[in-house]
Amino acid sequence: MENLRRISLSANGQEQVLTIPQEFALSSTEVLLRREGQRLIIEPISRSSLLSLLTTLQDITDNFPDTDEGLLPLDDITL
């Protein structure tokens, strides 16, 4: 198995602490932790960009009112 390194766990009050070596450092400050049998899986939670969030939203199907209705047309400005 590549990228294998043996490290120690330490105790901090009621919790166990895992120090992640630099070569395994994550770019995120939050992670998801889950157990699969005897394994602990650590997955980084990456911040999504606004664009990626917007792509998950459903299209707006509402009919918006014509706010220009009843207004005089704009005059073309020439210099």
Side-chain angles (χ1 to χ4, degrees):
M1 176 183 278
E2 290 183 33
N3 297 325
L4 183 63
R5 182 161 170 197
R6 187 176 187 146
I7 59 172
S8 299
L9 296 174
S10 57
N12 184 4
Q14 297 281 331
E15 299 178 347
Q16 278 188 315
V17 177
L18 168 72
T19 302
I20 299 174
Q22 183 60 38
E23 64 263 24
F24 293 108
L26 302 171
S27 60
S28 177
T29 57
E30 290 185 294
V31 296
L32 292 175
L33 179 65
R34 73 175 189 276
R35 182 184 293 256
E36 289 183 4
Q38 291 295 313
R39 295 175 183 238
L40 290 178
I41 311 296
I42 302 171
E43 295 182 64
I45 299 174
S46 60
R47 290 185 182 235
S48 299
S49 67
L50 178 58
L51 182 58
S52 64
L53 172 64
L54 292 176
T55 60
T56 65
L57 300 177
Q58 295 180 357
D59 291 340
I60 298 174
T61 58
D62 298 342
N63 292 325
F64 290 97
D66 183 3
T67 57
D68 293 337
E69 186 177 356
L71 295 178
L72 295 174
L74 296 174
D75 294 333
D76 288 335
I77 299 173
T78 57
L79 297 174

